[in-house]
Amino acid sequence: MARFVVLYRAPHEVAARFVTATPEEAVIGVQQWTDWFTRLGPALVDPGRPLGHTTTVSRSGVADAPTEIVGMTILEAASMDEAVALVGDHHHLQWSDQCTITILEEMGIPEVEAGLVG
């Protein structure tokens, strides 16, 4: 089985609505997440968390780095197609037509997996 990093993207104006949710809206949102987690069963490796402040580090320095990535999850699936199927009905996509989900497959490092390096 392969591991997949799932990134939830939302424009800043949509993400701002999350912060202003009423307690009732927040409870509904959390219930949608927990229902999805339950449906995934063992495919859910790490439910992840909402993501906040971003910083970019480069050889030339450190800078704030605005991003539309608002959260992440780690899944396990047999293929990218299976990973896509697992998120295809995710409630994140219902928040706005501009909300998207990006899936990245984790790639192994053969030298590490073979024990050739520490």
Side-chain angles (χ1 to χ4, degrees), residues 18 21-39 47 50 90-91 95:
F18 306 152
T22 66
E24 295 81 12
E25 291 169 330
V27 166
I28 291 169
V30 170
Q31 187 63 55
Q32 289 174 321
W33 277 103
T34 57
D35 290 348
W36 185 69
F37 294 161
T38 301
R39 283 195 313 271
H90 196 285
H91 60 278
W95 295 339

Side-chain angles (χ1 to χ4, degrees), residues 49-74:
R49 303 282 183 278
L51 301 174
H53 181 80
T54 57
T55 299
T56 295
V57 179
S58 70
R59 290 180 3 176
S60 60
V62 177
D64 286 340
T67 182
E68 291 189 343
I69 299 171
V70 297
M72 57 76 62
T73 297
I74 299 176

